[in-house]
């Protein structure tokens, strides 16, 4: 039944006639289990986010241990090298011992946290494994719930997210904690405070450096601008020396532009500098943070729900969806869905698929289409049943035309 | 996709992490012990020893710690762990689609519309608390209107689960005319179920009364069913030993619940399945194809953003086919209002434009059907309505 055809892309030639160019051959239309495997491949975010979280915890715990051990060792060296009395030496060692005990506790806690996070990663893998053709309706339901929680978190509807995750028992499968961390930074930025954002940058220094991110630079620039806005010019210059200069090598132009604000002040009319003082620079910063954050955790920038909605709407969209008698089972019969689908491309089909108006079943070689004298088409099954119930009489449900079953013609589609 | 190899890779990571963790504990323990030892020695040092004995002890401690070299041990296990930590995400990126937003078009969905859709979905699925919470947080107060019809449906269905048909019978009676118009016999089915319940549990007399009050109106239209039910009266209280035992099966309750939900939604002008679920399910099936398409179309970003129709078919399951689509076998065009499907006298179907071309726009010129030896005239082709 499934035909194997290379993926053909219709492209327009300059003279307007279309040409069907064969793109690299796609594999034949997948079977049900093939489709399942393909849909699981879309779940990168599900596995990546808890892993990144886990990795971050491991690295930060290790940094703490390294720092403390290092401090203790240099503490010993310092004590050995300096002129201490016996009592001072005893005190010093005793403080180092208690410091180590504190570290021991901390590292045990850290280990427990790491273990829990590893479990979360495993739970996700097991969830993917549990997807089988026989129980897909439940699994699909869970998937939709996961997408809804993801949507809630991104839109900052945190209460709903938590409620939904709890009621469906999917806390292990969603990343509420990760988003709450982001919330702290975003809330602060909205209150015009860069503190948490800078702390976040420092926590993720190496990753941000690797991706050549200039987010920290932009935070520093904004702080500088705020100092200029408050007429704290001396402070601004000191700040610039300390925090902006290091970025000069890579971002000189931007640095120069912002430094120039010293000359213009916050009530300038000069457009290109006025824009730097606008409130919405903070919104831009918040958006920038969201982008960096999503990139770091391997998340899409857009909510998962929107991504799948777009794909689904386009796949379902036909001109018939917008007609008045479109069947209610089609989501695109609903006003809200029509609105969303309006700017999206229509779906395309290469093979005819006919649906009987009466039974909603496919009209194919096993159930061939029959044509009434007025050109309206229904399936053999539907018309046979109708004829049986009505003494061989057929009434067209759409036009009311009455005819005899013997008058219908068979149509051949392929 | 090999989930097993991914699980193995993750196990490797956790193994290395446990090693690193225990190494850290070991190192901390070791250092602690050495310092404690030195501490005790210092403490037990009485004035009897030389005044610089403590300095000696400290220096010995310093050397001892250098010997243990805790930092380099920590570093080496961490390095191994880091290797595993960087390998795993690469494996993930290889086995999964690392960026499913590649095919996303840069048009912003109107937030209110999306929120309304979501609210409707929650109410339809019976999650009223969550729907209310969502409305509160998103401030989509207009969406609250969709709650009450679904609430009613939910209450009716919950009652049915407890074998209480009162709410559903009330609903059916209220909507008697509309249900009739839609050709639904659900009211009869509900009464039938109620009749069987009464007959089995409350005795013949009550059942007979019920039949007179509620089944009789359906008698003329559904004589066979009515007669069968009246015959059941002979086995009051012991239907299980009658020829009609299957009427007691709980399957009837389940099926009727579904049918009631379907009719209820139908009267509301809604679909039975949540449209959000259906669209997302279609999206899950369609997204892999769209992503593959994006891979082929790299560099044609502009075309992707502005195209009016997808250039490739998205293979969806049968249940997503809501409309007939006829693709002319000659021109490969999908039919539309301007280019409708036409029936040739031989029974084959082509689109109007193909016929025009084949007949050279001459309605009386005979041309050969592309699929059989028959000769047909363009003027004799009839327009079809699927």
């Amino acid at each position: 039944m499934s035909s194997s055809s290379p993926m053909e892309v219709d492209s327009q030639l300059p003279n307007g006639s279309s040409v069907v160019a064969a793109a690299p051959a796609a594999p034949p239309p997948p079977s049900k289990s093939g489709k399942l495997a393909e849909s699981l491949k879309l779940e990168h975010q599900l596995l990546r986010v808890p892993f990144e979280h886990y990795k971050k915890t491991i690295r930060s715990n290790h940094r703490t241990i390294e720092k403390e051990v290092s401090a203790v060792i240099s503490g010993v060296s310092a004590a050995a090298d300096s002129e201490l009395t016996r009592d001072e030496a005893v005190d010093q060692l005793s403080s180092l011992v208690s410091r180590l005990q504190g570290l021991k506790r901390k590292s045990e806690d850290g280990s427990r946290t790491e273990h829990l996070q590893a479990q979360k990663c495993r739970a996700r893998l097991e969830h993917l494994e549990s997807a089988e053709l026989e129980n897909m309706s439940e699994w699909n339901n869970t998937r939709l719930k996961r997408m809804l929680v993801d949507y809630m978190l991104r839109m900052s509807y945190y209460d709903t997210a938590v409620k939904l995750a709890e009621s469906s028992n999917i806390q292990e499968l969603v990343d509420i904690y990760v988003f709450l961390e982001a919330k702290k930074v975003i809330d602060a930025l909205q209150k015009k405070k860069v503190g948490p954002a800078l702390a976040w940058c420092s926590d993720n220094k190496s990753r941000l450096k690797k991706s050549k991110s200039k987010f920290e630079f932009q935070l520093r620039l904004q702080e500088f601008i705020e100092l200029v806005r408050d007429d704290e010019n001396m402070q601004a210059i000191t700040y610039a020396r300390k925090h902006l200069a290091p970025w000069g090598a890579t971002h000189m132009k931007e640095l120069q532009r912002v430094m120039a604000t010293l000359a213009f002040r916050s009530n300038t009319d000069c457009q290109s500098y006025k824009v730097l003082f606008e409130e919405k620079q903070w919104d831009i910063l918040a958006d920038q943070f969201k982008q960096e954050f999503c990139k770091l955790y391997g998340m899409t920038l857009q909510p998962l729900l929107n991504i799948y909605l777009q794909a689904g709407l386009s796949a379902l969209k036909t001109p018939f969806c917008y007609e008045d008698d479109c069947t209610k089972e089609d989501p695109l019969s609903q006003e809200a869905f029509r609105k969303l689908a309006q700017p999206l491309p229509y779906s395309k089909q290469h093979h005819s698929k006919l649906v009987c108006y009466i039974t909603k079943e496919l009209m194919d070689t096993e159930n061939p289409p029959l044509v009434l004298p007025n050109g309206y088409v229904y399936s053999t099954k539907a018309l046979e049943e109708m004829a049986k119930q009505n003494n061989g009489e057929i009434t067209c449900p759409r036009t009311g035309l009455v005819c005899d079953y013997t008058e219908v013609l068979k149509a051949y589609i392929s | 996709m090999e989930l097993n190899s991914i699980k193995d890779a993750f196990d490797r990571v956790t193994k290395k992490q446990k090693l690193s963790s225990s190494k850290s504990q070991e190192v901390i323990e070791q250092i602690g012990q050495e310092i404690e030892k030195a501490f005790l020695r210092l403490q037990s040092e009485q004035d009897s020893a030389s005044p610089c004995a403590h300095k000696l002890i400290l220096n010995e401690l310093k050397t001892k710690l250098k010997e243990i070299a805790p930092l380099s041990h920590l570093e080496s296990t961490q390095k191994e762990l880091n290797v595993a930590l960087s390998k795993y995400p690469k494996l993930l990126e290889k086995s999964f689609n690392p960026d499913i937003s590649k095919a996303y078009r840069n048009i912003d969905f109107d937030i209110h519309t999306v929120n309304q859709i979501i609210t409707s979905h929650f109410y339809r699925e019976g999650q009223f608390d969550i729907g209310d919470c969502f409305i509160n947080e998103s401030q989509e107060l207009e969406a609250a209107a969709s709650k009450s019809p679904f609430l009613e449906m939910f209450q009716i269905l919950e009652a049915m689960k407890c074998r209480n048909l009162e709410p559903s019978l009330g609903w059916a009676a209220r909507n008697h005319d509309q249900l009739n118009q839609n050709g639904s016999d659900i009211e009869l089915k509900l009464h039938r179920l109620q009749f069987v319940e009464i007959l089995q549990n409350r005795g013949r007399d009550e059942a007979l009364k019920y039949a007179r009050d509620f089944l009789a109106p359906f008698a003329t239209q559904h004589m066979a069913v009515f007669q069968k039910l009246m015959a059941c009266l002979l086995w009051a209280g012991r239907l299980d030993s009658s020829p009609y035992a299957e009427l007691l099966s709980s399957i009837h309750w389940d099926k009727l619940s579904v049918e009631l939900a379907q009719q209820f939604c139908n009267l509301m002008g809604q679909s039975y399945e949540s449209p959000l679920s259906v669209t997302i399910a279609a999206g899950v099936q369609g997204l892999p194809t769209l992503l593959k398409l994006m891979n082929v179309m790299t560099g044609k970003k502009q075309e992707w953003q502005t195209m009016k129709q997808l250039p490739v078919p998205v293979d969806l399951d049968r249940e997503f086919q809501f409309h007939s689509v006829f693709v002319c076998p000659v021109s490969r065009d999908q039919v539309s209002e301007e280019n409708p499907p036409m029936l040739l006298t031989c029974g084959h179907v082509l689109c109007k434009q193909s016929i025009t071309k084949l007949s050279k726009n001459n309605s009386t010129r005979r041309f050969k059907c592309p699929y059989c030896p028959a000769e047909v005239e363009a003027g004799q082709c009839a327009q079809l309505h699927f």
Side-chain angles (χ1 to χ4, degrees), chain B residues 112 115-120 123 134-135 138-148:
Chain B
H112 298 292
N115 286 353
Q116 272 170 25
I117 289 177
I118 295 177
T119 312
S120 248
Y123 287 146
F134 180 63
I135 284 190
S138 62
Q139 294 292 300
E140 293 293 342
L141 302 162
E142 298 114 32
S146 57
K147 181 176 179 183
S148 40

Side-chain angles (χ1 to χ4, degrees), chain A residues 185-330:
Chain A
V185 174
I186 296 174
D187 281 351
L189 284 176
Q190 280 168 346
K191 296 200 184 85
K192 303 206 173 53
K193 298 206 181 320
V194 299
L198 284 172
W200 183 84
C201 287
S202 134
D203 272 347
N204 296 285
K205 203 195 275 277
S206 53
R207 289 291 298 278
L208 290 173
K209 196 158 168 207
K210 218 198 251 175
S211 64
K212 299 207 181 35
S213 157
K214 60 177 190 179
F215 180 57
E216 191 186 334
F217 179 49
Q218 280 159 327
L219 288 168
R220 300 284 184 199
L221 286 179
Q222 191 63 34
E223 270 205 313
F224 177 82
I225 299 233
E226 293 304 315
L227 287 170
V228 173
R229 195 203 298 273
D230 294 337
D231 274 332
E232 304 273 6
N233 288 350
M234 287 318 293
Q235 264 193 49
I237 295 178
T238 322
Y239 186 86
R241 278 213 191 98
K242 185 168 177 205
H243 295 292
L244 296 183
W247 295 88
T250 39
H251 295 90
M252 182 50 79
K253 252 195 136 68
E254 250 181 289
L255 178 58
Q256 284 173 335
R257 179 166 170 245
V258 172
M259 291 300 292
T261 56
L262 278 169
F264 282 91
R265 311 275 204 81
S266 57
N267 49 10
T268 180
D269 279 327
C270 176
Q271 196 52 36
S272 56
Y273 292 100
K274 188 176 179 149
V275 70
L276 290 176
F277 286 103
E278 275 172 9
E279 301 278 309
K280 74 167 187 195
Q281 289 292 335
W282 285 99
D283 295 330
I284 295 178
L285 269 181
D287 279 341
Q288 212 112 22
F289 170 70
K290 285 183 190 162
Q291 277 187 35
E292 296 281 351
F293 183 79
C294 289
K295 204 159 81 173
L296 204 91
Y297 274 96
M299 295 196 280
T300 57
L301 188 56
Q302 306 83 1
L304 293 175
L305 190 76
N306 292 25
I307 293 176
Y308 284 93
L309 259 182
Q310 249 200 30
L313 288 169
S314 214
L316 292 173
K317 189 180 177 189
T318 69
F320 307 109
C321 301
Y322 287 83
E323 286 171 9
D324 288 333
D325 65 349
C326 171
T327 169
K328 290 284 163 257
E329 298 304 318
D330 182 347

Side-chain angles (χ1 to χ4, degrees), chain A residues 73 76-78 80-81, chain B residues 57-67:
Chain A
I73 293 180
V76 168
S77 292
D81 294 341
Chain B
I57 295 176
L58 284 178
N59 271 308
E60 279 178 15
L61 176 60
K62 178 173 160 189
T63 323
K64 186 72 198 203
L65 287 184
K66 230 190 201 139
E67 246 177 64

Side-chain angles (χ1 to χ4, degrees), chain A residues 101-113:
Chain A
Q101 280 172 344
L103 178 60
K104 186 169 175 199
R105 270 194 308 274
K106 231 187 195 169
S107 99
E108 277 166 8
D109 282 343
S111 205
R112 265 193 295 275
T113 311

